[in-house]
Amino acid sequence: MAFEFLANISNNVSNAVQAIGTGESTGYDPYDQTHAASGPRNEINVWEPANSSGSGLHFTYDTNEWDVDYLVIVRADYLQSVANSQYKVTQENSGGTVSDLLTWTNTSGLTLIGPRDQDAIISLSTSSGQRYGNGVAFKDSTNGSNRYNTSDLIFAKAYDIGEPSKRPLPSFSRLPEQGQEFFPYEGYYPLATEVQFSLTWPILNRSEVEIFEAFLQFGRPLRVPFFLYDPTGDLLPYNLEHCIIETYSLTFLQTADHYQLQISFRRLKHYL
Amino acid sequence: MSVGLVEILFNTAWQEFHSVGLYDGSLVLQSDTDVLSAVTGPRYQVFSRGLLDEFLIYTHSGASVDIDRCVIVRADRLASTTVRFQFWTSYSSTSVFDDVALTTNDLVGRLENDYVYTTDATALSLSEDGDAVTGCEAVGIKFTGASSNMNQVYFCKSIQFNQVVPGSISLSPQPRLTRTKVGKIYYETTHRISMGFHQVPGDTVLELEEAYSLRNNPFFIYNPGGEIFKKKLLHCIMLSAPHSYEYDDGYQVSLDVGILKEYNNS
């Protein structure tokens, strides 16, 4: 299975956010939308559905149609702490019509992954002409009154440049408290981080380098947090890393079409 | 060899001529205050040209300089026009020129905004494409398109390197707002590239040493074939360029450069 960089579509190309559900009783707060698209993991949104429509939000993307490969729910563990909780995923077509991509599904079926088993990743397959926006909503299967907490709701585009080297396996270094605040190279505010690790791709060809460059351009991983997804867990023991690129080094190996890529990452601070 | 694997292109004309101006089609100097933006500076720095058939000319009476490249920053503004590259061995009576119809397909650089002119053997009566026009007393380009802002225009004598030290070319990002002072100006850079060349002839090392403009102004790294840098052209400032003796009259040269930030100004 692939080792993938998941770029944040929610943050990088959405130009409008709308509530799913109506009225203040949905718990929708315009302040939450920025929290939901990106930011540290301790920014929490509260969803309080008033009826069977559920409560959530829908990102409308810019005028392009985007390949949306995954939805990552940060702090999905909160959802599973509420009995009977369900989620659904919406999609938008080029005309602006929103429809269900995934109908109401029990959150108890989500597999929690990540260093503290807090996040869930949902694979999406949107049909062509339906990728102009995506949303997610939450409710109780009995339509009862509940509050649901989540952190970021990241619709993501995957970039695959192949697996990094397994020899040696990456080492994860926990950062001392005074070294945890990290100002991303292209960022505008510091992020709390807790672990540093590096991965090396010893030989990439140019087309793979171009995929990485496309990820740099679209995902802006030197500014915006993103995810590394390793479904097998061979390299990332927790399968999913919510991180930011600290720096990278791309070396031209001279042998025709051979490059080496080393990337140093910072894992975002995870909270209990 | 007329074309190198990797070439350093600095503004040889500005280093040697010290005089630049905008001229009308009859080579009458126009009054202008900002044409010095053409000779150096960051990529957001512009000068404005207004006339059809207007020349930008570097000149110094009695000079004798060899030129084999011309770099136009933000040449996208000149796409679909014809640009004349003219070389005077005696200004303003004896010259050769080459009229080039620029298209967007000719543009190079990270955002594909720039253009590198390589001297053309047929148009300029040289023995081989890329050979230098020797003994220039003045060099210039003639714009034929509508008025526009223009950025830097460098006339260069390329310094060529043909053997890269394996594994020596490495690129890494730099923190936002990284500024480095070169000459009198602070330049914002986005990336840093280090590279090494070996079996560099002593004459080339001497050229590098004598190109003092390299240490005081931005310059370009050009990979005409795109083997190393797909977009072929990097607009750089020099951070360091040590060299050491290798063997057989060959030297190893290391370059450590910062890549200038590109701006979307029009």
Side-chain angles (χ1 to χ4, degrees), chain A residues 16 19 27 30 50 107 109 111 113 123 128 147 169 198 206 228 262-263:
Chain A
T107 63
T111 302
I113 56 176
S123 181
S128 180
R147 291 163 68 93
L169 285 167
S198 298
R206 177 166 270 182
L228 286 174
Q262 287 180 295
I263 309 179

Side-chain angles (χ1 to χ4, degrees), chain A residues 187-208:
Chain A
Y188 295 96
Y189 54 86
L191 290 166
T193 60
E194 61 183 14
V195 165
Q196 186 179 44
F197 61 100
S198 298
L199 298 172
T200 300
W201 285 258
I203 295 181
L204 294 177
N205 60 35
R206 177 166 270 182
S207 62
E208 289 164 334

Side-chain angles (χ1 to χ4, degrees), chain B residues 24-67:
Chain B
D24 69 10
S26 304
L27 299 184
V28 175
L29 183 63
Q30 305 296 298
S31 61
D32 185 272
T33 55
D34 57 4
V35 73
L36 283 175
S37 296
V39 305
T40 185
R43 292 182 65 88
Y44 59 75
Q45 189 171 287
V46 297
F47 68 96
S48 54
R49 45 163 293 268
L51 301 174
L52 283 174
D53 297 336
E54 188 172 42
F55 282 92
L56 172 81
I57 297 175
Y58 291 90
T59 181
H60 183 69
S61 179
S64 177
V65 175
D66 300 346
I67 297 292

Side-chain angles (χ1 to χ4, degrees), chain A residues 128-172:
Chain A
S128 180
Q130 301 286 334
R131 302 170 192 156
Y132 292 81
N134 283 107
V136 57
F138 308 99
K139 77 174 182 72
D140 185 313
S141 60
T142 62
N143 296 329
S145 176
N146 268 314
R147 291 163 68 93
Y148 302 96
N149 294 344
T150 60
S151 184
D152 298 341
L153 301 169
I154 307 296
F155 287 93
K157 174 175 167 54
Y159 292 83
D160 182 359
I161 60 170
E163 279 196 353
S165 172
K166 292 177 181 169
R167 294 179 186 169
L169 285 167
S171 65
F172 296 79

Side-chain angles (χ1 to χ4, degrees), chain B residues 117-128:
Chain B
Y117 171 75
T118 299
T119 42
D120 181 282
T122 307
L124 303 172
S125 301
L126 303 170
S127 57
E128 193 177 342

